[in-house]
């Protein structure tokens, strides 16, 4: 079915089709069918390099033939059909041989299309048909993805796609995602789902972090203990103990070489290169646990069950280099891509400095200092890789002490390492912690999952510029691209992993693919709801928090009033109700803080431009009782003390949900700003206890705590901030109750306070935070 209609008439046509479909449905109703939908405006992510809208459109349904000549075209056609079947239930026929013809969708290898851009493609849609052309399989693959994105903007099996012409190619050739499978392990199936999603976002490099202090996850045939021993750790605290038997419960996982090959082949079919990371000389404890002779110390070490920066390094014996080369020999057999990542980050040199044997080796090797020894170490890896036709890439610390010119630098501590590397003539991938670390939380919503609560918002990812203006034209050439990194210390489940990845992967896609001058954050937000629909259609569990209506509540329980301030983290318009009903497109639009009488209930949601809610409505109930309690995530950090805020998950129970706490791990401290203590003479504090599972290396002296006065320490409460008078010092029990918590009844003496009406309430626990630390779960003020 073909036609040529001006866009305004498309709607009328759709309405007629809808009526016809409804009549048909009523007449025979063999199976429910969605009406024919009109995709009015393309909402593509990433934005193509060039898109010109045409007139009218093409009607597509299950009867539309697919044409494809040759294997590359057949593959692209099959991929398109498979995606359309999954997202829309659209059952297209098997692609048949043939080129573009009226009424068909054709996939065509055409050497004349974007000969300069190996990933480029052209897509044309007009009343006569659809054609995807590219000079190779990779381009056709991306073109098929774009076409599918248009189809998935409709929800049914029949649609009109808008006439257009797209000429597209990526801005940057490295559009990467790093996934840490060492700290928490993902199944092969989960890895494949990440790869599928990367392909939908036109990302093309999967950097697979396979070894670290907390786990060695790649089978190496020559060294079976790497996975037998290095593949398991005993998690800290209750998560590592069977409550019934008291036996240790290890956390284990590794990929067999067959599984690795399966993942690499799966990625290759998606035109994704896999870059394995084998980390050294630091982040090496799992390997040293398996083979203690690789370490610097004589004492054996366990696979680490703590996070942070750890001191264990590989030693620099010739036998250790032989080990690493033997490992890399198996790695290069498994991973056919150009690059092998050798880590190089956060290798604090204390063990090398303190070891007479390492110092002797330094003299033998003629290296001046430990930085140069690391440089020697990386140089050895580089020589091995280059003799095997591979290129070394490492974190930006590999620049320190000198680096072979062929090495590529991944700039993570900011963009400075990347700038310096490009100036020295190294290739660079930009992946700064400040903008592209996806374990940092994406909103300030209280129910963001565990991670690092300093934020990396969708907008930051979107606005990150991988090619800094400071670079000369020649240096700019060295910027291969951009990469987001997903560390998983705090990400125990695939659902949480997806929460962190989506929708920020969409912003990364556009940062890496779309022309710099075409990037437009407001336009991206307009296109994002269509992307969410695609996510839902493919069961991608994206984060809801950026799309929710969040509330800040300032209440005065004694006046019986509250001011509720609503916000959506992405700035989408909010609508709300006060009568308990679910807000819809007809509900009042939120414009300014709501001044309400208690009790009140605000239900609110953010809406897309077409009036559909972007996430389920949130409910904010405020009454005299709710104003008396602050849960952990509603408390603030204490000013000037207690660096490194983490959102941590409790260590237990072994199975089931665990509590989540915001903790400033250098000095745990919580603040309830401007608490009204006017009629309060007691607090109820719900406190949990968790293992202090962090290595801080050279930051260790900054870890502080108040001294304990009694055997198990105390809860110390101060008013007027953390320098103000002590209101209570409540002794703690030896241990929490069976559920991991205690409820403390804390009488307070407010006599010394200058004001009791709005005082900053500061809560801390005394005593060493090692090996376990108490954490505030919730605080309730108890009126007289
Ligand atoms: C890193 O985040 N340590 C590369």
């Amino acid at each position: 079915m073909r036609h040529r209609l001006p866009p305004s008439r498309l709607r009328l046509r759709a309405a007629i089709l809808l009526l016809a479909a409804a009549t048909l449905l009523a007449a025979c109703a063999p199976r429910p069918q969605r009406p024919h939908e009109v995709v009015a405006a393309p909402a593509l992510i990433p934005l193509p390099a060039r898109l010109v809208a045409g007139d009218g459109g093409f009607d597509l349904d299950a009867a539309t033939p697919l044409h494809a000549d040759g294997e590359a075209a057949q593959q692209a056609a099959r991929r398109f059909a498979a995606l359309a079947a999954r997202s829309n239930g659209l059952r297209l026929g098997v692609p048949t041989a043939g080129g573009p013809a009226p009424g068909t969708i054709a996939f065509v290898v055409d050497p004349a299309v974007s000969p300069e851009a190996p990933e480029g493609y052209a897509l044309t849609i007009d009343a006569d048909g659809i054609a995807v052309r590219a000079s190779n399989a990779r381009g056709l693959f991306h073109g098929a993805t774009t076409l599918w994105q248009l189809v998935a903007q409709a929800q049914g099996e029949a649609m009109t796609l808008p006439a257009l012409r797209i000429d597209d190619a990526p801005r940057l050739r490295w559009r990467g995602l790093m996934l840490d499978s060492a700290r928490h392990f993902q199944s092969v199936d989960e890895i494949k789902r990440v790869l599928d999603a990367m392909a939908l976002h036109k990302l093309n490099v999967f950097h697979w972090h396979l070894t670290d202090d907390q786990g060695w996850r790649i089978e190496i045939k020559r060294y079976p203990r790497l996975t037998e021993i290095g593949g398991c750790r005993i998690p800290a605290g209750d998560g590592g103990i069977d409550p019934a038997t008291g036996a240790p419960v290890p956390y284990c996982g590794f990929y067999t070489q067959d599984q690795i090959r399966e993942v690499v082949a799966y990625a290759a079919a998606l035109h994704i290169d896999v870059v394995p990371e084998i980390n050294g000389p630091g982040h090496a404890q799992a390997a040293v646990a398996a083979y203690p002779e690789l370490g610097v110390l004589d004492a054996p070490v366990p696979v680490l069950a703590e996070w942070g920066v750890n001191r264990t390094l590989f030693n620099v014996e010739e036998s250790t280099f032989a080990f690493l080369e033997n490992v890399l020999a198996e790695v290069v057999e498994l991973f056919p891509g150009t690059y092998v990542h050798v880590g190089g980050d956060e290798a604090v040199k204390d063990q090398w400095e303190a070891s007479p044997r390492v110092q002797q080796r330094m003299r033998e090797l003629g290296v001046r200092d430990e930085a140069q020894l690391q440089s020697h170490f990386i140089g050895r890896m580089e020589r091995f890789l280059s003799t095997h036709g591979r290129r070394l890439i490492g974190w930006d610390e590999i620049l320190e002490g000198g680096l072979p010119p062929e090495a590529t630098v991944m700039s993570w501590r900011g963009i400075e390492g990347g700038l310096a590397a490009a100036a020295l003539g190294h290739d660079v991938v930009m992946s700064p912690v400040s903008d592209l670390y996806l374990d940092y939380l994406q909103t300030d919503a209280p129910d963001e999952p565990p991670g690092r609560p300093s934020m990396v918002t969708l907008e930051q990812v979107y606005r990150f510029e991988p090619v800094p203006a400071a670079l000369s034209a020649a240096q700019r050439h060295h910027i291969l691209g951009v990469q987001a990194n997903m560390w998983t210390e705090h990400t125990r489940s695939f659902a949480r992993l997806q929460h962190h990845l989506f929708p920020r992967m969409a912003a990364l896609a556009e940062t890496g693919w779309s022309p710099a001058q075409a990037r437009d954050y407001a336009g991206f937000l307009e296109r994002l709801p269509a992307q969410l629909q695609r996510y839902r259609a493919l069961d991608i569990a994206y984060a809801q928090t950026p799309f929710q209506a969040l509330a800040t509540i300032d209440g005065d329980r004694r006046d019986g009033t509250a001011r509720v301030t609503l916000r959506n983290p992405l700035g989408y318009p909010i609508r709300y109700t006060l009568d308990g009903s679910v807000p819809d497109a007809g509900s009042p639009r939120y414009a300014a803080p709501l001044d309400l009488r208690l009790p009140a209930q605000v239900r609110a949601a953010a809406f897309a431009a077409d009036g559909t809610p972007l996430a389920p409505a949130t409910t904010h109930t405020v009454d005299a009782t709710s104003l008396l309690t602050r849960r952990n995530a509603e408390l603030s950090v204490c000013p000037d003390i207690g660096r490194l805020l983490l959102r941590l998950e409790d260590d237990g129970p072994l199975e089931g949900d665990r509590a989540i706490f915001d903790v400033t791990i250098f000095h745990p401290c919580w603040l309830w700003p401007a608490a009204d203590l006017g009629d309060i003479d007691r607090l109820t504090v719900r406190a949990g206890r968790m293992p202090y599972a962090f290595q801080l290396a050279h930051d260790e002296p900054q870890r502080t705590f108040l001294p304990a006065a009694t055997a198990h320490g105390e809860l110390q409460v101060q008013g007027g901030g953390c320098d103000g008078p002590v209101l209570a010092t409540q002794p703690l029990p030896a241990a929490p109750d069976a559920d991991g918590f205690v409820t403390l009844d804390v009488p307070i003496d407010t006599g010394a306070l200058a004001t009791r009406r709005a005082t900053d309430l500061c809560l801390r626990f005394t005593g060493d935070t090692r090996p376990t630390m108490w954490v505030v779960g919730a605080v309730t003020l108890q009126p007289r």
Side-chain angles (χ1 to χ4, degrees), residues 442-528:
Q442 58 198 303
T443 76
D444 59 352
D447 48 0
E448 283 290 344
R452 302 201 223 182
S454 26
M455 279 193 283
V456 167
T457 63
L458 186 72
E459 182 168 359
Q460 275 171 282
V461 177
Y462 191 88
R463 292 198 190 278
F464 174 68
E465 175 45 58
V467 189
L471 293 173
S472 69
Q475 292 168 346
R476 234 171 272 167
H477 201 67
H478 283 297
I479 308 294
L480 299 184
V482 64
Q483 179 172 296
N485 297 331
M486 181 61 223
W487 301 104
T488 59
E489 287 94 330
H490 310 294
T491 306
R492 264 196 324 136
S493 73
F494 190 58
R496 286 184 181 160
L497 177 64
Q498 292 179 83
H499 180 109
H500 288 292
L501 294 181
F502 310 105
R504 286 183 292 186
M505 191 185 281
L508 175 71
E510 203 140 315
T511 301
W513 181 282
S514 305
Q517 68 279 7
R519 274 199 283 147
D520 160 19
Y521 181 61
F524 173 75
L525 290 184
E526 281 168 23
R527 285 177 279 123
L528 192 55

Side-chain angles (χ1 to χ4, degrees), residues 295-634:
V296 177
L297 307 183
D298 285 335
V301 289
V303 179
L304 195 66
E306 299 177 307
W307 316 123
V309 179
N310 173 45
R311 289 182 165 88
T312 298
L313 299 183
F314 284 122
N315 65 38
V316 285
E317 299 299 327
E318 199 48 43
S319 54
T320 296
F321 287 122
F323 162 86
L324 288 165
E325 289 172 358
N326 290 334
V327 167
L328 289 180
E330 293 193 32
V331 167
V332 297
E333 282 298 310
L334 292 168
F335 295 91
T338 307
Y339 291 92
V340 175
H341 201 296
V342 299
D345 60 321
E346 298 179 319
V348 288
K349 307 294 188 299
D350 304 12
Q351 289 191 349
W352 282 357
E353 284 165 10
S355 159
R357 173 66 194 146
V358 171
Q359 295 298 316
Q360 182 193 337
R361 277 291 284 159
M362 282 167 57
R363 286 189 292 277
E364 286 164 18
L365 294 166
V367 305
R368 180 179 67 237
D369 58 20
E370 289 74 18
Q372 226 188 32
L373 184 59
Q374 163 141 340
S375 166
H376 173 85
F377 183 102
I378 299 294
R380 284 291 298 256
M381 303 299 102
E382 201 283 328
R383 272 203 300 288
F384 179 85
L385 290 172
S386 63
T387 58
H388 288 74
R390 303 309 171 87
R391 297 194 64 171
L392 176 145
I393 183 166
W395 301 111
D396 57 50
E397 288 95 327
I398 64 172
L399 271 175
E400 293 160 13
L403 184 65
E406 304 77 21
T408 300
V409 172
M410 191 167 267
S411 188
W412 76 274
R413 292 178 294 178
I415 60 167
E416 292 71 21
L419 291 174
L424 290 168
H426 296 285
D427 284 349
V428 170
V429 174
M430 289 292 193
S431 63
V433 58
S434 49
D435 298 277
L436 296 178
Y437 268 35
L438 303 185
D439 53 329
Y440 283 61
L441 303 189
Q442 58 198 303
T443 76
D444 59 352
D447 48 0
E448 283 290 344
R452 302 201 223 182
S454 26
M455 279 193 283
V456 167
T457 63
L458 186 72
E459 182 168 359
Q460 275 171 282
V461 177
Y462 191 88
R463 292 198 190 278
F464 174 68
E465 175 45 58
V467 189
L471 293 173
S472 69
Q475 292 168 346
R476 234 171 272 167
H477 201 67
H478 283 297
I479 308 294
L480 299 184
V482 64
Q483 179 172 296
N485 297 331
M486 181 61 223
W487 301 104
T488 59
E489 287 94 330
H490 310 294
T491 306
R492 264 196 324 136
S493 73
F494 190 58
R496 286 184 181 160
L497 177 64
Q498 292 179 83
H499 180 109
H500 288 292
L501 294 181
F502 310 105
R504 286 183 292 186
M505 191 185 281
L508 175 71
E510 203 140 315
T511 301
W513 181 282
S514 305
Q517 68 279 7
R519 274 199 283 147
D520 160 19
Y521 181 61
F524 173 75
L525 290 184
E526 281 168 23
R527 285 177 279 123
L528 192 55
Q531 187 77 353
L532 302 186
Q533 180 177 312
R534 297 179 190 115
Y535 289 162
R536 289 191 296 273
L538 297 184
D539 296 325
I540 292 174
Y542 61 92
Q544 297 290 318
T545 43
F547 305 102
Q548 287 174 341
L550 308 180
T552 306
I553 298 172
D554 282 316
D556 188 326
R557 62 196 154 77
R558 290 193 283 156
D559 287 357
T561 60
R563 168 167 280 208
V564 178
T565 307
L566 297 175
R567 70 186 185 287
N568 169 258
L570 301 180
Y572 285 105
I574 292 174
R575 295 180 185 277
Y576 68 94
T577 64
L578 298 175
D579 62 2
S581 64
V582 176
D584 60 26
S587 303
R589 183 165 163 168
Y590 176 81
L594 307 170
D595 288 312
L596 305 172
R597 299 278 330 155
L598 301 186
Q601 189 185 64
V602 181
R603 302 198 72 187
F607 286 81
D610 68 357
T612 52
L614 289 162
T618 49
T619 303
H620 311 279
T621 303
V622 48
D623 57 28
T625 307
S626 72
L627 289 173
L628 288 166
T629 294
R630 290 262 167 117
R631 291 175 296 130
N632 170 288
E634 296 162 340

